[in-house]
Amino acid sequence: MNWKRAASASIVAVPIILLLGYGMTRDPKEIPSPLPGREAPAFSLAVFAEGVGAQRRAVGDTVRLAEHAGEVVVLNFWASWCLACRDEHSALSAVSEAYAPKGVQFYGMLYNDVPANGTRWISQMGGQSYPSLEDPRTRTAIDYGLYGVPETFFVGRDGRVAYKHVGPISAVVLARKLDSLLALPGPSRPSGGRPVGEPVGEPVGEPARSVAVPRAGR
Amino acid sequence: MTRLIGLNALMVALAVAAFGVVMAPIGVRRARADLVRATYSATYAMFALVTIATFAMIFALVTHDFSVGYVAQVGSRATPLFYTIISLWGALEGSILFWAWVLSLLSALVVFWNRDREGALIPYTTMTMLAVSVFFLILLVGPANPFTLIAPTPLDGPGPNPLLQNHILMGVHPPLLYLGYVGMTVPFAFAVGAMAAGEVGEDTWIKLSRRWTLGAWAFLTAAIIAGMWWSYEVLGWGGYWAWDPVENASFMPWLTSTAFLHSMMVQERRGMLKLWNLNLIVATFALTILGTFLTRSGVLSSVHAFGEGPIGMYFLVAIAVTLVASFALVAGNSEQLSSEGRLDSVASRETVILLNNLMLTAFTFTVLVGTLFPIIAEAARGVKVSVGEPFFNKMSLPLIASLLFLMGVGPALPWRRASKEVVRRQLLPPLIGAVIAAVAAIAVGAHQVYAVLTFAFAAFALVANVREYVTGVKARMTLRNESAVTALGRLVGANRRRYGGYIAHLGIIAMGVAIAASSTFRREYEATLRKGESMAAGGYSVKLLEVYGREEPQRSRIAASVAILKDGAEIGRLDPAMNFYPTSQQPIPTPAVRSRAWGDIYINLMAFQQDGSNATLKVIVEPLVPWIWFGGGIICLGAIVSMFPTRRRSAAWMGARVAPDGRGARPSPGAATPAGGMLASNTLEGAD
């Protein structure tokens, strides 16, 4: 063995490794999505899981994105068959509860799954603080250009998609993105222009009913 | 329970393999035969343990044990049993487990067949195999653990990737690919073993590697063909190769191992290219790991979605260790690697093989640069780019054409030096064939330069390779008074290595012609038809009979029933379909193909009206496509023929013993001798 030669030859490997290492820090799936900055695609979907507290919506209600004009809305696409969705579930539920008083509305969007599986999953996971909507034929998922589940979309007060998060999201990322969105002023309506958590089209006082929450399952 | 058995088996296997890696060098240095034997026993034990883990996983899949992480990820009660079993390699963790199992099997076989060989080569080879196993076992107990606990236990799972379920070839392609990839570990381990043992000046490692390399190469070839076939049958665009990073990842080690198979002959015959051969096999192994890294780490876009975890980092470390250690070993040993011979003449077989190696290496480099260019561009200029088919086609067409040409020249020329007379006599008939093919191709309507060149050089190589058979058979017929068939059988049987290679050449020629023809003469037609309406498609008429739907347990299916008519008479029916899986966002197209030797009619259902009143069909008429798959089969047959041992050349030539095993598709009874016998006969066929 000629160690001197051996050492100098192994240096050849360094640039290759550095290049691949650099590649590791990039995310090829972070395809510059045309969606952020654009108007969030409208939807009108039925509630199948109620949620808790201020965000609660009755099962069967139709939710329109337009109801939340001037508010920050978080849409989380998930499915009961999705393992990564289990990881992010508690973070989403907790952050949603904490930010509900600041006028942030969360919705779960069931993707390629049946509501029965969805409700069973929610009860298994110990409940969910925000309502979930069913998306028959995955129309809305297609509108949002879903790549897979989970994916989380942040809609700003201006009704535009501000961020898109691919894969399970953490509480820290959620809070940081929400704080930055809440810091921006709304375009037409001042922030908090509407009582927080008041569902449009329902009589005032309805939120009071929200005590009876199904934290079912255990 | 199943989960714990599997996980514990893997952990013990890791410990056992690590023990072997440490004991082998100590045993060699201190000349302790007991430690070396302990290393061998560790290899067998590792194989047994990984086998237990693999069977535990299959058991968990079959019994729908959703508390096992991997089963919850790919299992589903609605999935048919066959697809449940093959979902073992349907996602990352399972495929790493399968990989580790094949690797442990090969390690055990290497030890078993060579355990009585003296010297440090085999202990160090075993050490290398075990070290690679340690890496995969670390993945399996760490970031790619398939036996994680899922609590609470889900009631059902999403089922395997729809693409895996949609076609039988997807069940075949991955294991073939893993066998090819993992198989390349063996020649690499022999090379590292020889370098570590300081025996690299001798040819032992090359002789031991030859058969393993051929086997791995045959699997890799079959895997690539199966992958092409799969994308042709499933993806619905009528093509079979798109220079996708995943495809390139399997193609690059194929190119370097093809080069290695040729250049090892030069080392055996002439004692040249020793350093080059070491580099080729190191490159081949590094490219298999790089390919896995590229497709599994998320560095480049691939079909695998989330949850890859930190596995890319582990592969990066593995690549770093492989490259640094191999480069250091090769350079450190390079003084022993001086050539014994030199090129005597430009007109010789070794020159042609050298050129073939240069072409194949240039090809590998081109594909590598094209594949990595997105990362290079982002690092250098911060822009996202993608390298498309035009780059690869432009770069590869001249290389493919010249490789076909060399494939004709090589077999026609003798080793060392050919006289002008020999060159003229050997190359004139192929040249005539090439001219005829070129004229015919232009007459039929091929206009691109490279298409015409491909047809011409394919004809050139065909004539040259077939002539090798014809002259050999003729010689035997006159000298030994044998019938043509007997002569052919004995000719191949007595020189399996050489004639196996020529068979593989014929397969490559078939593929080359089929690829050139199907891309040059491809015609596409698209139309929206109402029930009962017809469209014309290249001499045929395609009539939509009906659009129907069907519910299956794991999917729903919408299909169009289509009749193909020629001159008003129905010659066949096809049912192109779209399959809808619950976990997939998009329908999976399922084209229908009518295959005949002259070519395919390929029909894809593009869209349909909900009420079934009309459907949009794409009809592609592609000549000679089946010859791609058939050519792939011929290549593998050639590899098998040249893999099996030749009997003593003299005996076969004297006709002393009847050799009815003619084509050599199966090992002759002689091969049933103990392992030592197989290896001994290997050295006898040095002269091809």
Side-chain angles (χ1 to χ4, degrees), chain B residues 16 18 78 118 163 184 214 217 223 234 242 290 321 325 376 392 464 485 547 596 607 650 662 671 681:
Chain B
V16 165
E118 299 281 319
L163 288 177
M184 291 301 174
L214 262 175
W217 182 82
V234 169
L290 178 75
V321 172
I376 301 172
F392 288 105
V485 178
V547 181
R596 292 294 180 270
S650 53
S681 65

Side-chain angles (χ1 to χ4, degrees), chain A residues 2 5 26 28 111-112 146 166, chain B residues 298 306 332 334 378 582 584-585:
Chain A
N2 181 333
R5 270 200 209 183
R26 307 280 107 189
Y111 171 71
N112 255 330
L146 205 69
V166 176
Chain B
F306 318 116
S334 57
E378 206 177 341
S584 166
Q585 201 167 322

Side-chain angles (χ1 to χ4, degrees), chain B residues 1 318 452 661 688:
Chain B
M1 187 58 198
V452 175
D661 48 312
D688 52 317

Side-chain angles (χ1 to χ4, degrees), chain B residues 206 260 263-264 267 273-281:
Chain B
I206 282 272
F260 179 65
S263 64
M264 64 165 41
Q267 175 168 354
L273 302 183
K274 290 179 176 177
L275 183 61
W276 178 247
N277 280 330
L278 276 176
N279 280 313
L280 275 180
I281 200 61

Side-chain angles (χ1 to χ4, degrees), chain B residues 28-341:
Chain B
V28 172
R29 295 263 158 131
R30 306 218 173 132
R32 294 261 308 264
D34 55 333
L35 289 186
V36 171
R37 272 198 304 279
T39 310
Y40 295 169
S41 307
T43 313
Y44 299 140
M46 177 187 75
F47 168 58
L49 288 160
V50 180
T51 306
I52 291 173
T54 308
F55 277 96
M57 177 52 74
I58 293 172
F59 182 75
L61 281 167
V62 171
T63 55
H64 299 297
D65 184 351
F66 292 114
S67 66
V68 176
Y70 187 70
V71 182
Q73 191 188 334
V74 302
S76 148
R77 293 184 193 281
T79 309
L81 180 66
F82 174 74
Y83 290 105
T84 299
I85 294 173
I86 67 166
S87 59
L88 175 63
W89 50 76
L92 177 75
E93 292 83 357
S95 59
I96 300 271
L97 178 61
F98 182 70
W99 186 308
W101 181 72
V102 176
L103 185 57
S104 68
L105 170 69
L106 296 190
S107 309
L109 286 178
V110 167
V111 169
F112 183 72
W113 283 335
N114 297 292
R115 62 189 185 280
D116 295 329
R117 195 171 272 273
E118 299 281 319
L121 173 63
I122 299 305
Y124 279 127
T125 303
T126 313
M127 179 192 78
T128 313
M129 296 293 294
L130 288 174
V132 179
S133 307
V134 163
F135 167 66
F136 282 97
L137 289 166
I138 288 175
L139 290 183
L140 282 170
V141 299
N145 180 0
F147 292 105
T148 47
L149 175 67
I150 300 287
T153 304
L155 298 162
D156 205 347
N161 185 332
L163 288 177
L164 180 75
Q165 286 185 65
N166 207 51
H167 202 283
I168 183 77
L169 279 168
M170 225 352 41
V172 182
H173 166 68
L176 286 174
L177 189 62
Y178 296 147
L179 284 165
Y181 271 16
V182 181
M184 291 301 174
T185 314
V186 181
F188 171 75
F190 278 128
V192 173
M195 289 190 278
E199 292 176 17
V200 79
E202 298 154 38
D203 287 347
T204 324
W205 78 270
I206 282 272
K207 294 206 169 88
L208 288 176
S209 300
R210 193 184 78 87
R211 220 161 259 155
W212 287 98
T213 314
L214 262 175
W217 182 82
F219 278 120
L220 198 53
T221 308
I224 292 173
I225 307 280
M228 290 166 79
W229 201 355
W230 171 80
S231 68
Y232 179 73
E233 294 275 341
V234 169
L235 297 184
W237 51 286
Y240 33 76
W241 194 262
W243 301 106
D244 179 86
V246 185
E247 296 169 347
N248 296 346
S250 60
F251 190 45
M252 288 187 283
W254 186 87
L255 288 170
T256 49
S257 53
T258 308
F260 179 65
L261 283 174
H262 287 89
S263 64
M264 64 165 41
M265 290 191 291
V266 179
Q267 175 168 354
E268 282 182 76
R269 298 277 313 202
R270 303 293 323 276
M272 299 177 343
L273 302 183
K274 290 179 176 177
L275 183 61
W276 178 247
N277 280 330
L278 276 176
N279 280 313
L280 275 180
I281 200 61
V282 165
T284 303
F285 178 74
L287 284 170
T288 62
I289 300 284
L290 178 75
T292 321
F293 168 77
L294 289 180
T295 50
R296 293 297 194 181
S297 65
V299 165
L300 298 165
S301 293
S302 89
V303 281
H304 285 271
F306 318 116
E308 282 140 351
I311 192 160
M313 213 52 227
Y314 287 76
F315 268 99
L316 188 60
V317 172
I319 293 172
V321 172
T322 308
L323 289 181
V324 170
S326 328
F327 285 171
L329 276 169
V330 173
N333 278 293
S334 57
E335 277 150 2
Q336 288 188 49
L337 294 169
S338 54
S339 268
E340 291 155 25

Side-chain angles (χ1 to χ4, degrees), chain B residues 382-399:
Chain B
V383 290
K384 294 236 183 210
V385 297
S386 65
V387 179
E389 276 184 65
F391 164 81
F392 288 105
N393 286 342
K394 205 171 185 173
M395 299 299 286
S396 62
L397 282 173
L399 287 165

Side-chain angles (χ1 to χ4, degrees), chain B residues 465-550:
Chain B
N465 282 279
V466 169
R467 252 172 62 94
E468 290 299 304
Y469 282 95
V470 173
T471 47
V473 167
K474 270 194 183 152
R476 282 190 84 99
M477 281 167 73
T478 46
L479 281 173
R480 314 218 168 279
N481 213 3
E482 293 166 346
S483 75
V485 178
T486 323
L488 180 66
R490 290 198 185 159
L491 181 75
V492 176
N495 305 275
R496 285 170 196 261
R497 198 173 160 179
R498 175 174 173 185
Y499 288 96
Y502 296 158
I503 294 176
H505 283 175
L506 295 180
I508 297 272
I509 294 165
M511 275 187 78
V513 171
I515 290 172
S518 64
S519 46
T520 310
F521 301 114
R522 170 192 164 111
R523 298 281 174 274
E524 284 185 27
Y525 311 85
E526 192 174 326
T528 304
L529 302 177
R530 278 199 296 272
K531 262 189 213 175
E533 276 185 339
S534 304
M535 64 189 276
Y540 299 92
S541 164
V542 172
K543 184 175 175 186
L544 178 68
L545 302 175
E546 62 165 337
V547 181
Y548 61 94
R550 197 166 71 211

